[in-house]
């Protein structure tokens, strides 16, 4: 099982739609979870951290399910500017516990 | 407020040439990282550093060397460039937590696009 797995997409949705991404991780001891956003040919940028109780930031909601080892990102009222690749990120373990493990990303395309 | 700055932004090399990529951060972060990103492969960690004078290998360290002589700078060297090293290179930095175990989000530079002919 890969450390961090995401559906690569693309998810093609109309403006105003609600879209959700899931991500699974392999290490049950992981403690830190993030969603990053990466625009085409740009650097990854932190979108939001994911907390155990779930958290919301405007139109974005992140959830963590430790029992099933997955995290989710929900985007409500999609905007054209939300088009990007969304990276699921989990902290490493063992010898790499100081590092973050990045998923390969889920591509979102919001259409007019 | 520069954050993480990478130099150069673009470079084309011939096979066998050497070069150094520079990363500088002004956030006083302890941890610094070098990644490469290739289509379909996602971000892969090359080397990282948990503090001045200390470096460690990541997932794909072969063909690269690094140095962290100053806390704010992290250099990535290609000893003898190969076409397989054509990629986009990202530097990142983060705070450390609990003295040597970092689970803080990383801040990225805007990348160096490197082509090896």
């Amino acid at each position: 099982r890969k450390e961090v797995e995401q559906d690569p997409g693309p998810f093609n949705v109309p403006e105003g739609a609600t879209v959700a991404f899931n991500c699974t991780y392999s290490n049950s001891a992981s403690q830190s979870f993030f969603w990053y956003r990466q625009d085409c040919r740009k650097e990854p940028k932190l979108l939001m951290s994911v907390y155990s109780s779930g958290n919301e930031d405007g139109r974005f909601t992140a959830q963590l399910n430790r029992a099933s080892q997955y995290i989710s990102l929900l985007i409500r009222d999609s905007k054209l500017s939300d088009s990007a690749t969304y990276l699921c990120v989990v902290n490493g373990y063992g010898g790499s516990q100081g590092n973050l493990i990045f998923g390969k990303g889920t591509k979102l395309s919001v259409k007019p | 407020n520069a954050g993480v700055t990478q130099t150069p932004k673009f470079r084309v090399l011939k096979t066998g040439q050497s070069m150094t990529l520079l990363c500088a951060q002004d956030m006083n972060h302890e941890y610094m990282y070098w990644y490469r990103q290739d289509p379909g492969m996602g971000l892969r960690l090359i080397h990282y550093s948990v503090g001045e004078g200390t470096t460690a290998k990541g997932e794909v360290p072969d063909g690269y060397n690094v140095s962290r002589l100053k806390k704010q700078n992290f250099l990535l060297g290609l000893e003898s460039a190969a076409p397989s090293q054509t990629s986009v290179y990202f530097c990142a930095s983060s705070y450390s937590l609990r003295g040597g175990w970092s689970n803080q989000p990383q801040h990225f530079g805007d990348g160096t696009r490197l082509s090896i002919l």
Side-chain angles (χ1 to χ4, degrees):
Chain A
R1 182 179 178 182
K2 295 179 183 177
E3 293 186 84
V4 178
E5 288 198 72
Q6 297 182 249
D7 181 343
F11 284 63
N12 298 308
V13 303
E15 270 188 293
T18 296
V19 62
F21 309 134
N22 285 336
C23 162
T24 58
Y25 60 95
S26 60
N27 180 27
S28 60
S30 291
Q31 296 292 328
S32 302
F33 309 91
F34 309 97
W35 283 103
Y36 276 70
R37 170 196 170 124
Q38 186 172 24
D39 293 289
C40 187
R41 301 177 70 81
K42 298 287 188 180
E43 75 275 21
K45 292 183 178 179
L46 178 67
L47 179 66
M48 59 195 303
S49 300
V50 185
Y51 302 121
S52 296
S53 56
N55 48 299
E56 189 174 305
D57 182 2
R59 297 181 293 109
F60 299 85
T61 300
Q63 296 279 352
L64 169 63
N65 184 318
R66 287 190 182 275
S68 300
Q69 294 180 214
Y70 78 82
I71 65 175
S72 64
L73 177 68
L74 182 76
I75 305 175
R76 292 181 300 277
D77 189 24
S78 298
K79 312 291 185 190
L80 295 177
S81 58
D82 293 334
S83 296
T85 297
Y86 291 83
L87 308 177
C88 171
V89 185
V90 177
N91 73 286
Y93 58 92
S96 64
Q97 68 177 12
N99 301 324
L100 297 179
I101 309 299
F102 287 78
K104 294 182 180 179
T106 297
K107 186 172 182 179
L108 172 65
S109 180
V110 181
K111 306 292 187 183
Chain B
N1 201 11
V4 179
T5 303
Q6 291 184 231
T7 309
K9 298 286 187 282
F10 305 93
R11 186 72 183 267
V12 178
L13 291 178
K14 294 181 179 179
T15 297
Q17 286 184 316
S18 62
M19 78 161 294
T20 300
L21 280 64
L22 172 64
C23 176
Q25 53 95 4
D26 61 3
M27 297 174 283
N28 201 34
H29 285 167
E30 292 83 3
Y31 280 54
M32 296 187 75
Y33 312 81
W34 275 108
Y35 293 90
R36 61 178 289 174
Q37 188 173 36
D38 303 290
M41 299 296 291
L43 282 164
R44 291 185 292 170
L45 183 65
I46 303 171
H47 286 278
Y48 65 100
S49 169
V50 301
E52 183 179 321
T54 302
T55 63
K57 293 180 180 180
E59 180 185 356
V60 288
D62 293 342
Y64 305 95
N65 57 71
V66 288
S67 64
R68 184 104 180 263
L69 299 180
K70 294 182 179 180
K71 184 177 184 179
Q72 63 268 33
N73 295 337
F74 195 28
L75 279 62
L76 177 71
L78 279 71
E79 300 152 346
S80 178
S84 61
Q85 294 177 304
T86 293
S87 188
V88 180
Y89 291 85
F90 288 106
C91 175
S93 69
S94 68
Y95 287 112
S96 66
L97 190 68
R98 303 179 193 172
W101 197 77
S102 176
N103 59 1
Q104 298 298 298
Q106 295 175 8
H107 301 263
F108 284 80
D110 55 7
T112 296
R113 299 184 182 283
L114 185 62
S115 293
I116 316 295
L117 305 179

